């Protein structure tokens, strides 16, 4: 037992030499920044979203601006496809819709040689490497030559929040979607992901589907799930705030958990699974502080 | 345009030479067999399940026997983990629980040289090949030598129905689960999948979660979602039957659809995704006949 714990610790330290940045990343849990946390109230429950200004600053700025205006209050989820996405936005081509400026694609970023993340898997189906950075699932293409830079992007795991768009790359405005099914990773790099659900994903899953199966009655738009209220957590009165901490994916504890998941030792696994991990099949933990 | 349609048809025919069996497989839609179709009534909606006696005969026989007895009526979903599974069964170690005989693992089957399926992808993360057989997502390991047989198994995509078990391989009895999140394919080959949801998946997604996030109140077992009724469709009075047809995944039309999904031509894709497909990210269509 002692050996095994020592061994796991060793793996975690080794991983961290190459993959974890140094500052304050030893802690297993991380507080959310209320200024980049959204409280979404649905008729059937509350949902908390962590925004990612470090990856998609323009989209986060646009979205926060709209949230603060109350833009989304009363808007409905008007394109909800089981196993795919739950999408909301103002009525297409309405004055409200057209009032919002377009925002340019933020599909990936360049990574200098010093960039680091917690690697989950090499040779993923869609990327050279996958892993986590700041609790977001990322894909990574290392630099091909010493003098060049690498490339990283957020990946479409269940629970991510992304901006919808028209056919043109830089045509996002206010319509957004949550991924509610098997990761549609073919959208990676051509849509801007800018947040993720950290609490209440079951309420996102329960949003009324709008696309029925062929032959079934059409779902009346009056049955579409509305957004009761969307607000920045920092603007919610203190006593009504919901304070969440999330798993710090840059910590040695997380790297250890990944390795345990890869090499399962529980006797339930009477045949061991292949030691591969789908980055979208690793649930990240959250905990309620208040 | 004509060229492209011709081209798609050609691809479909070519695929079918190697991958589609000959009899009655040209049709795009396929009727369900009422004797192997389950109608699950939840408090919030109806769900239809197609069973797979051709792949997991012992599990289907056991499950059908229990359904016909009314064994599951009133039982609750007592282990529901967001992004993972919704599991139901009688109270652990109760008389009812212990009354059910164990059933041996049906994790894979041997494939003779004549076996065929509609291939979706080579070198999937977890298998040499993936595809569909009889509208079930399958993984396939071809024979290594001419005289040996290959191996195929059902894979844990969202919506599959599988039997839970204890630690031992052959310890399944009556507890079952639906996959409700990103495919947990590390369970492939060590659990018996024996059905899939063909209608009402959104109601499965809305089943009350039992595992709360850390620090949150425990979900009272009285809030767990019950099974109102579970019956074989053949035993439902004719006027109350719901008749569904499902996409015939052995048809040329389906093979064509797969290729279109792999090579997306819509202008929305201003950069083309990699021409790879995740077998669990291909929604199969159903349509309501009555």
């Amino acid at each position: 037992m002692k050996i095994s714990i020592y061994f796991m610790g060793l793996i975690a330290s080794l991983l961290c030499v190459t993959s974890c940045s140094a500052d304050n990343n030893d802690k297993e849990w991380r507080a959310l920044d209320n200024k980049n946390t959204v409280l979404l109230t649905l008729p059937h429950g509350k949902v908390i979203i962590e925004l990612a200004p470090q990856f998609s600053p323009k989209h986060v700025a646009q979205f926060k601006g709209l949230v603060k205006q109350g833009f989304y209050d009363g808007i409905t989820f008007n394109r909800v496809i089981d196993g795919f996405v739950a999408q909301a936005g103002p009525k297409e081509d309405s004055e409200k819709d057209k009032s919002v400026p377009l925002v340019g694609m933020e599909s990936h970023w360049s990574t200098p040689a010093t960039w680091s993340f917690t690697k989950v898997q090499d040779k993923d189906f869609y990327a050279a490497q996958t892993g986590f950075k700041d609790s977001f699932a990322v894909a990574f293409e290392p630099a091909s030559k010493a003098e060049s830079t690498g490339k990283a992007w957020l990946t479409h795991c269940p629970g991510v929040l992304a901006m919808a768009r028209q056919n043109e790359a830089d045509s996002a405005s206010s319509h957004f979607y949550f991924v509610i099914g098997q990761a549609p990773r073919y959208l990676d790099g051509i849509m801007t992901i800018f947040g993720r659900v950290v609490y209440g994903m079951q309420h996102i899953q329960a949003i009324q589907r709008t696309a029925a199966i062929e032959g079934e009655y059409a779902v009346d738009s009056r049955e579409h799930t509305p957004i009761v209220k969307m607000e920045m957590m920092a603007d919610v009165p203190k006593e009504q705030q919901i304070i969440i901490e999330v798993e710090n994916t840059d910590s040695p504890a997380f790297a250890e958990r990944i390795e345990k998941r890869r090499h399962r030792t529980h006797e339930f696994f009477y045949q061991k699974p292949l030691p591969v991990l789908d980055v979208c099949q690793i649930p990240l933990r959250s905990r309620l502080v208040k």
Side-chain angles (χ1 to χ4, degrees), chain A:
Chain A
M1 194 60 183
K2 206 172 173 185
I3 292 170
S4 124
I5 287 171
Y6 170 75
F7 181 64
M8 295 312 304
L10 185 67
I11 288 177
S13 324
L14 286 174
L15 281 170
C16 264
V17 170
T18 56
S19 70
C20 302
S21 50
D23 51 329
N24 202 24
N25 270 337
D26 55 330
K27 294 206 179 66
E28 192 173 351
W29 296 92
R30 171 171 71 72
L32 294 184
D33 171 7
N34 270 356
K35 291 201 173 59
N36 284 304
T37 303
V38 176
L39 178 61
L40 163 61
T41 304
L42 296 175
H44 52 284
K46 289 184 186 291
V47 177
I48 298 176
I49 299 151
E50 176 177 29
L51 299 179
Q54 69 275 48
F55 301 122
S56 310
K58 289 186 293 177
H59 280 72
V60 167
Q62 172 115 329
F63 189 75
K64 280 172 68 170
L66 293 170
V67 169
K68 281 166 183 272
Q69 281 171 37
F71 182 91
Y72 292 114
D73 301 354
I75 271 176
T76 63
F77 285 86
N78 52 27
R79 181 171 178 253
V80 186
I81 301 169
D82 193 74
F84 185 42
V85 298
Q87 183 171 326
K91 197 169 151 48
E92 202 94 35
D93 288 328
S94 63
E95 285 310 307
K96 182 165 182 166
D97 191 21
K98 289 188 287 190
S99 73
V100 182
L102 301 186
V103 54
M105 182 65 58
E106 297 172 297
S107 57
H108 65 276
W109 63 94
S110 294
T111 56
T114 54
W115 189 77
S116 68
F117 74 125
T118 302
K119 191 163 85 174
V120 164
Q121 188 61 50
D122 276 308
K123 292 183 194 153
D124 177 275
F125 213 29
Y126 295 85
Q129 297 179 21
T130 60
F132 288 95
K133 179 74 176 177
D134 301 345
S135 313
F136 280 80
V138 296
F140 177 51
E141 195 73 46
S144 52
K145 291 178 294 186
E147 68 273 24
S148 67
T149 54
K151 182 179 158 184
W153 60 97
L154 298 181
T155 186
H156 272 82
C157 295
V160 302
L161 170 64
M163 211 68 109
R165 61 168 171 82
Q166 304 298 320
N167 287 341
E168 302 72 35
D170 299 328
S171 61
S173 60
S174 68
H175 298 248
F176 65 84
Y177 62 89
F178 294 102
V179 170
I180 59 169
Q182 183 78 4
R185 293 185 54 192
Y186 62 92
L187 296 175
D188 284 2
I190 57 169
M191 307 302 290
T192 303
I193 295 168
F194 65 97
R196 67 182 187 103
V197 174
V198 295
Y199 175 88
M201 186 61 198
Q202 69 272 32
H203 304 313
I204 297 290
Q205 286 289 4
I207 291 171
Q208 171 66 49
R209 297 341 184 226
T210 58
I213 69 164
E214 290 184 47
E216 203 179 31
Y217 67 94
V219 175
D220 191 302
S221 65
R222 287 169 297 186
E223 289 178 36
H224 292 179
T225 300
I227 291 172
V228 176
K229 200 171 178 57
M230 180 124 78
E231 13 178 15
M232 298 309 302
M233 194 66 85
D235 300 334
V236 173
K238 266 252 155 35
E239 63 283 7
Q240 290 164 35
Q241 285 182 356
I242 303 173
I243 306 301
I244 296 287
E245 284 185 346
V246 297
E247 197 163 9
N248 175 12
T249 60
D250 303 325
S251 70
F254 183 74
E256 215 173 291
R257 187 159 88 76
I258 292 288
E259 288 315 297
K260 281 188 180 157
R261 201 170 169 88
R262 193 189 314 277
H263 302 284
R264 290 172 189 272
T265 55
H266 194 286
E267 59 180 331
F268 183 83
F269 297 92
Y270 66 88
Q271 279 173 14
K272 297 301 165 208
L274 290 175
V276 293
L277 291 174
D278 170 1
V279 71
C280 290
Q281 213 281 316
I282 296 170
L284 296 189
R285 291 177 297 160
S286 298
R287 67 178 182 187
L288 191 67
V289 176
K290 180 191 97 73

